[in-house]
Amino acid sequence: MITFQLINMKKELNDNWDYSSSLEAINHIQLKKKYTLFIDGKWIAPSKNTYFKTINPANEETLAEIASASKEDVDLAVKAARKAYTNVWSKMPASERAKYIYRIARLMQERAREFAVIESLESGKTIRESRDVDIPLACNHFFYYAGWADKLDYAFPNRKIESLGVAGQIIPWNFPLLMAAWKIAPALAAGNTVVLKPAETTSLTALKLAEIIEESGLPPGVVNIVTGFGETGAAIVNHPDINKIAFTGSTAVGKIIQKALVGTSKKVTLELGGKSANIIFEDAPIDQAVEGIVNGIFFNQGHVCCAGSRLYVQEGIAEKVIKKLKQRMESLYVGDPLDKNTDIGAINSKEQLQTIEKYLKIGMDEGAEMYQPKCAIPKKGFYCAPTLFLNVAQSSIIAQEEIFGPVLTIQTFRTVDEVIQKANNSPFGLAAGVWTDKGSRIFNLTSKLRAGVIWANCYNKFDPTSPFGGYKESGFGREGGLHGLSAYLKLS
Amino acid sequence: MSRIEVLKTYKIFIGGQFPRTESGRYYTPLDSNGKALANICLSSRKDVRNAVVAARKAFGPWSERSAFNRGQILYRIAEMLEGRQAQFVDELMRQGSSKVAATNEVNLSIDRIVYYAGWCDKYNQVVSSVNPVSSSHFNFSSLEPMGVVGVVAEQSTSLIGLVSHILPAICGGNSTVVLASEKLPLCAVTFSEVIHSSDVPAGVINILTGSPEEMAATLASHMDVNALITSNLESQLSNKLSLLSVDNLKRKFDYEVNWVEKDKQALHYISDLQEIKTTWHPIENVGGASSSY
């Protein structure tokens, strides 16, 4: 409510009224100019001595130089991981393993502020998000899985459990540290060792995590961080001495990986794209739902695999919802991710901005009606105004393909049956939102929507105890919770 | 004069009906003495696609049946099979089994069906979870069937492999398209008749005879099939099917299991073919009343 009062005040004062900037300090962070590879507990220069620059997408300034790992470097990392697995990690009592993971969680908590700033600097996400969502969740993930290490026998009744060996993990740029935590924490708890590759545009927090891992005294080689581009990832996927591949990223790359793994004994889990439906019924609490729509699609600039990018509004309230949504969008601040007033930060890379702009053009060419609020956008850096498309058909490309940006399509529906069919009419099946006052309707929808996560009267909620992952072409396997353990265990 | 025996026409099973293959083709598998067993339908890729349509149609209503009801229907399959025990033993013997082995295989099949019938309303209790999230939400994860499951039935058995594949799939609310053993097809057709008389809704189980080599690729590449299971398949064909399965990210399971062993039945054959769904629901959090007293 307060927000709405402020919006009205802002309007009355004819836009002369604005927030003062509230910038998060960056003088407390420690960044090196150049980062090498973290292999076998040591910082090692890449064999080909090649580095690439990582930039701040909010102003395009260079933050640091990052090592590009070659096939040979990956091999070195896998050897270190294998050695650590065979000699140390697989022999260690599970309760001792747990204590190392707890230690990592605690060290992360202690340095949370620094991590939040670095995460925002490199990924473009707002400081409010990295401070309140990404970093705490990442810490909590380690804390949660630490405790599983010596309780695995309880997780899968009547089955024999064994660790897999060396896990190769490839993560995306949208939640850099959180994805590293989602991958590393359960792998270690289950008794595996790890070779992890962060995305090339967001390596820094993974490398800072390597510093923490070093500080924690975790035996050398249990976690190895190799930075680089697609070729580095391919070297991990194709390495013969890796037992498990975990990948989070696009559906297209996920399919390439799965094809590459055919005929090998590597276990695989894929967490891929989505085009999730957010469904608003006439009896929904509308102001709350509007906040939910905004959070569903504009959270993290829409760089969210489970973003609520297809909005379905029941006909009777469509006009009202769209009006309120537009009004709410007028109050969104697009700008410096380090400003605590900012709602929508920078798009992670120039390439991604171009992809989003390509889809905006497709949307207009398809005849949809585009709406963007009149918000100020910084001249430097990569930014995209929050965008709505009205008059969208179920068959529109913008309603079918994952855009991975702050772009929402809106369609209407009349009946429950109609919206279930429309929502399920997608090759993806990652998540869905349902807004209604009626509990029985929620559970009707939650059982009929073919998606892995259903948010009732909320959206984009995450928790270490809560399994996350998709149906259909959104991938397979779950991350988080008890069910997330099975990705890293051999069950027989 | 001795009575002339009425021979059975072996047909395929799609959408609860017994058509011949649309292709009009047949093949003649031989018994151990080199004598023709019967003229068997050499089903086509079109038959596979028709069966997938039937299975997709059946999936929604079947998965929405109550778990208890599914359990009763599965148990009914066991009842019907028990009554036809002699027929299956006879068919297995015609296909080369000894009397003891045939009897054991049929009895084990019946017992395995009863085993999975009992799981219908229990597996979700064992594998689901309520997740203690930090925010004010009720959060739970439970299992849901994957959808249409393609089955390349085990080729070296006629009945037990088939049963071991189909039962865990339908126990969990999936519908199935099954390619029967090419060389030992008799029990697959007769099992279809058992299913037909067991209250299993039309389309939940579809069984085709013919060459898996020819049909399996269609099943693996079909965009409306959600999962594919095979067992003891030679690796070249298995890899080919794995590659084809990637296009819609089919979940693929290759079991290396001797299904004739008694203990080759378990919860995970059901849960392999299930997705995990997590639901978040807010919990009102107002006022100062607490649950302590």
Side-chain angles (χ1 to χ4, degrees):
Chain A
M1 277 304 108
I2 290 167
T3 333
F4 282 99
Q5 280 163 16
L6 290 177
I7 297 161
N8 293 336
M9 275 172 71
K10 185 180 163 188
K11 285 216 172 308
E12 279 162 27
L13 291 165
N14 213 5
D15 291 337
N16 290 330
W17 189 92
D18 215 336
Y19 295 142
S20 311
S21 67
S22 172
L23 288 176
E24 172 73 26
I26 57 168
N27 57 2
H28 59 93
I29 64 165
Q30 292 179 37
L31 272 187
K32 290 191 259 183
K33 283 213 169 70
K34 201 179 213 181
Y35 281 91
T36 52
L37 307 167
F38 184 66
I39 296 173
D40 207 10
K42 296 185 282 286
W43 294 91
I44 294 175
S47 61
K48 298 218 165 91
N49 208 29
T50 44
Y51 292 84
F52 59 92
K53 285 179 175 151
T54 184
I55 62 162
N56 179 348
N59 58 22
E60 300 171 57
E61 284 166 15
T62 300
L63 292 167
E65 279 189 74
I66 309 288
S68 183
S70 65
K71 211 175 151 187
E72 290 73 32
D73 298 321
V74 168
D75 185 53
L76 207 62
V78 174
K79 285 198 172 98
R82 173 63 58 195
K83 193 180 74 190
Y85 176 74
T86 312
N87 297 344
V88 186
W89 200 241
S90 63
K91 288 184 180 157
M92 190 181 289
S95 55
E96 299 296 297
R97 226 163 57 215
K99 288 196 281 189
Y100 277 116
I101 308 170
Y102 276 125
R103 229 190 238 185
I104 294 169
R106 281 303 202 212
L107 287 165
M108 284 172 78
Q109 287 174 333
E110 286 162 15
R111 288 170 67 176
R113 187 178 176 210
E114 182 189 8
F115 270 75
V117 171
I118 295 171
E119 195 77 313
S120 282
L121 277 174
E122 198 188 22
S123 72
K125 66 176 66 208
T126 65
I127 186 70
R128 270 192 293 140
E129 184 205 318
S130 45
R131 181 193 65 194
D132 298 343
V133 182
D134 289 48
I135 310 302
L137 274 177
C139 303
N140 296 358
H141 218 79
F142 276 98
F143 201 90
Y144 171 77
Y145 273 111
W148 265 122
D150 57 358
K151 300 168 192 70
L152 297 172
D153 286 328
Y154 292 90
F156 302 98
N158 218 21
R159 302 198 77 181
K160 188 175 149 229
I161 53 149
E162 288 164 276
S163 54
L164 295 168
V166 178
Q169 308 178 317
I170 299 165
I171 58 172
W173 46 260
N174 57 341
F175 294 95
L177 185 71
L178 184 59
M179 290 301 107
W182 279 25
K183 294 282 181 282
I184 297 174
L188 296 189
N192 307 281
T193 57
V194 163
V195 176
L196 175 123
K197 185 193 100 64
E200 63 269 18
T201 58
T202 54
S203 307
L204 287 176
T205 44
L207 293 162
K208 295 297 287 183
L209 177 61
E211 289 177 3
I212 277 182
I213 284 167
E214 201 180 2
E215 201 181 325
S216 74
L218 189 76
V222 173
V223 174
N224 305 275
I225 311 279
V226 289
T227 45
F229 292 81
E231 305 88 79
T232 310
I236 294 175
V237 169
N238 295 319
H239 197 289
D241 200 32
I242 281 182
N243 306 92
K244 153 88 192 180
I245 296 292
F247 171 76
T248 298
S250 72
T251 293
V253 175
K255 288 180 181 176
I256 293 171
I257 290 176
Q258 218 204 340
K259 282 190 176 159
L261 294 176
V262 166
T264 72
S265 60
K266 287 174 193 150
K267 187 166 176 164
V268 60
T269 40
L270 303 171
E271 206 273 271
L272 308 176
K275 191 76 185 175
S276 299
N278 202 358
I279 301 165
I280 321 288
F281 285 94
E282 278 167 2
D283 64 346
I286 293 193
D287 289 335
Q288 231 176 301
V290 167
E291 287 306 305
I293 297 166
V294 167
N295 174 45
I297 184 63
F298 301 133
F299 173 67
N300 200 33
Q301 299 70 249
H303 301 327
V304 184
C305 48
C306 52
S309 51
R310 285 187 294 154
L311 178 64
Y312 290 98
V313 188
Q314 202 162 16
E315 243 176 41
I317 52 159
E319 215 174 302
K320 194 172 172 189
V321 168
I322 291 165
K323 191 177 149 211
K324 286 201 174 217
L325 185 57
K326 285 180 173 174
Q327 198 179 27
R328 178 69 180 90
M329 284 166 70
E330 288 294 337
S331 71
L332 294 173
Y333 281 70
V334 180
D336 188 346
L338 287 180
D339 190 328
K340 285 162 216 154
N341 299 316
T342 300
D343 297 298
I344 298 178
I347 300 300
N348 179 253
S349 66
K350 197 173 179 180
E351 290 70 29
Q352 187 56 28
L353 183 58
Q354 285 166 348
T355 303
I356 296 167
E357 284 167 348
K358 180 192 86 184
Y359 278 108
L360 298 186
K361 187 169 178 307
I362 289 173
M364 286 186 288
D365 290 348
E366 285 183 318
E369 182 193 322
M370 187 170 94
Y371 172 82
Q372 291 179 325
K374 297 176 261 334
C375 55
I377 286 186
K379 294 216 162 50
K380 242 180 147 198
F382 316 128
Y383 292 94
C384 178
T387 307
L388 296 185
F389 275 106
L390 299 159
N391 296 332
V392 177
Q394 184 76 10
S395 58
S396 300
I397 290 172
I398 51 167
Q400 288 188 332
E401 294 183 9
E402 181 174 47
I403 298 174
F404 226 61
V407 183
L408 180 67
T409 62
I410 304 184
Q411 292 172 263
T412 58
F413 68 94
R414 288 184 183 173
T415 65
V416 174
D417 282 354
E418 181 189 352
V419 79
I420 289 171
Q421 290 201 358
K422 281 182 165 172
N424 283 340
N425 182 3
S426 163
F428 298 112
L430 193 47
V434 181
W435 298 81
T436 169
D437 203 29
K438 207 171 167 187
S440 57
R441 177 173 291 158
I442 286 173
F443 289 109
N444 179 23
L445 263 87
T446 186
S447 59
K448 286 187 183 143
L449 293 171
R450 305 287 293 159
V453 182
I454 309 290
W455 284 294
N457 292 323
C458 59
Y459 208 96
N460 275 341
K461 298 283 172 198
F462 307 96
D463 194 275
T465 66
S466 177
F468 181 92
Y471 286 26
K472 301 195 273 186
E473 292 186 37
S474 291
F476 45 75
R478 292 293 176 269
E479 293 185 287
L482 180 155
H483 300 89
L485 286 167
S486 68
Y488 292 98
L489 290 169
K490 184 178 173 217
L491 302 169
S492 48
Chain B
M1 207 175 105
S2 66
R3 186 181 166 273
I4 302 293
E5 188 189 355
V6 179
L7 294 175
K8 169 165 148 182
T9 308
Y10 284 87
K11 300 206 281 186
I12 57 178
F13 187 50
I14 300 177
Q17 295 185 309
F18 290 94
R20 289 199 175 86
T21 165
E22 61 79 40
S23 67
R25 304 177 307 171
Y26 71 99
Y27 71 110
T28 316
L30 306 175
D31 68 13
S32 48
N33 300 321
K35 221 182 119 216
L37 278 168
N39 290 326
I40 300 289
C41 289
L42 186 61
S43 306
S44 67
R45 290 172 296 183
K46 173 70 173 156
D47 290 318
V48 174
R49 293 196 293 271
N50 289 344
V52 173
V53 171
R56 173 58 60 194
K57 199 174 153 207
F59 168 62
W62 178 243
S63 64
E64 286 163 24
R65 291 273 179 132
S66 72
F68 182 77
N69 183 235
R70 278 208 307 271
Q72 286 184 301
I73 292 173
L74 263 64
Y75 186 77
R76 182 78 177 155
I77 301 176
E79 287 178 351
M80 293 297 105
L81 187 53
E82 182 82 41
R84 295 241 219 162
Q85 208 225 27
Q87 186 182 2
F88 280 93
V89 169
D90 174 59
E91 279 180 350
L92 284 171
M93 286 168 68
R94 283 170 60 203
Q95 294 175 112
S97 294
S98 69
K99 179 149 195 184
V100 174
T103 309
N104 283 343
E105 185 172 341
V106 178
N107 289 346
L108 182 60
S109 297
I110 296 166
D111 292 351
R112 192 157 287 173
I113 296 169
V114 172
Y115 173 81
Y116 283 113
W119 265 124
C120 286
D121 51 6
K122 294 167 194 71
Y123 67 86
N124 222 343
Q125 288 185 304
V126 178
V127 190
S128 291
S129 62
V130 171
N131 312 308
V133 296
S134 302
S135 54
S136 185
H137 291 89
F138 181 67
N139 179 298
F140 63 96
S141 299
S142 61
L143 300 189
E144 280 189 355
M146 281 176 175
V148 176
V149 175
V151 176
V152 182
E154 211 241 348
Q155 294 293 304
S156 64
T157 57
S158 189
L159 180 64
I160 188 68
L162 196 77
V163 164
S164 304
H165 285 137
I166 295 175
L167 267 292
I170 64 166
C171 165
N174 297 286
S175 59
T176 55
V177 175
V178 185
L179 310 183
S181 168
E182 183 176 9
K183 292 202 174 91
L184 310 168
L186 298 189
C187 294
V189 180
T190 310
F191 188 63
S192 302
E193 294 156 16
V194 167
I195 293 159
H196 190 61
S197 58
S198 304
D199 302 324
V200 178
V204 171
I205 301 170
N206 304 275
I207 301 182
L208 306 177
T209 51
S211 159
E213 187 89 42
E214 181 190 355
M215 293 183 289
T218 306
L219 204 50
S221 60
H222 201 298
M223 295 299 275
D224 208 22
V225 173
N226 300 90
L228 185 66
I229 52 179
T230 69
S231 64
N232 310 325
L233 206 59
E234 52 100 8
S235 62
Q236 204 184 343
L237 180 58
S238 175
N239 289 347
K240 183 183 157 194
L241 299 182
S242 295
L243 269 180
L244 292 170
S245 295
V246 175
D247 280 336
N248 70 336
L249 290 179
K250 263 179 213 74
R251 286 67 169 132
K252 184 164 180 285
F253 300 90
D254 301 293
Y255 298 116
E256 277 182 42
V257 174
N258 181 6
W259 300 108
V260 184
E261 288 170 17
K262 263 206 153 119
D263 61 346
K264 292 302 182 282
Q265 51 191 32
L267 169 63
H268 69 91
Y269 295 118
I270 303 169
S271 58
D272 279 354
L273 299 172
Q274 301 285 308
E275 297 285 352
I276 294 154
K277 171 174 279 179
T278 300
T279 301
W280 292 70
H281 193 294
I283 298 173
E284 185 182 54
N285 202 351
V286 291
S290 98
S291 52
S292 60
Y293 58 92

